[in-house]
Amino acid sequence: MSVKLKIKKDDPVIVTTGKDKGQKTKVVKMDRDGGKVFCEGVNVSKKHVKPNQFNPDGGIVDKTMPLAVSNVMYYCEKCSKGVKLGIKVLESGKKVRFCRSCGEIIDK
Ligand SMILES: [Zn+2]
């Protein structure tokens, strides 16, 4: 796992730039190689599709486009804002992420 990318799948995040700025969402999928994240309901584009076996009528489908991971921040419930994360090692040897603003440990 990359140490640089501190955002993980299922993390609550807030969009920090672009047309969806300020939107709270959740990471549904990571694309680590490209440094991209797919977030629920963010950057959705309507795509016209031709009828096919899955969608016999064709029409318009919602397609979630990825965001650059730098365009989102972890959303800390305690701070009620997007925060930077740090990583520390507990006495048990477990590596956990924590909020750099309030110190709350994220990985329990
Ligand atoms: Zn916090």
Side-chain angles (χ1 to χ4, degrees), residues 5 7-9 27-39 43 64-72:
L5 295 177
I7 303 282
K8 291 180 180 175
K9 187 174 175 288
V27 176
V28 287
K29 200 174 126 191
M30 297 288 307
D31 174 6
R32 291 187 177 279
D33 295 337
K36 300 260 170 64
V37 287
F38 292 82
C39 300
N43 212 12
T64 303
M65 304 300 286
L67 294 171
V69 76
S70 58
N71 289 359
V72 299

Side-chain angles (χ1 to χ4, degrees), residues 76 78-79 83 99 101-104:
C76 177
K78 237 178 146 178
C79 299
V83 296
C99 168
S101 294
C102 69
E104 180 86 343

Side-chain angles (χ1 to χ4, degrees), residues 74-81 83-84 98-104 106:
Y74 186 90
Y75 183 82
C76 177
E77 286 291 339
K78 237 178 146 178
C79 299
S80 302
K81 63 174 185 180
V83 296
K84 287 206 169 105
F98 68 97
C99 168
R100 292 184 85 104
S101 294
C102 69
E104 180 86 343
I106 288 147

Side-chain angles (χ1 to χ4, degrees), residues 46-52 54-63:
K46 305 276 183 199
K47 199 168 184 262
H48 292 264
V49 291
K50 287 182 182 143
N52 59 35
F54 306 109
N55 193 344
D57 297 325
I60 299 166
V61 293
D62 288 344
K63 193 171 188 301

Side-chain angles (χ1 to χ4, degrees), residues 14-26:
I14 187 161
V15 182
T16 58
T17 185
K19 69 178 167 68
D20 294 307
K21 186 176 176 180
Q23 191 173 333
K24 274 195 278 173
T25 176
K26 195 180 93 173

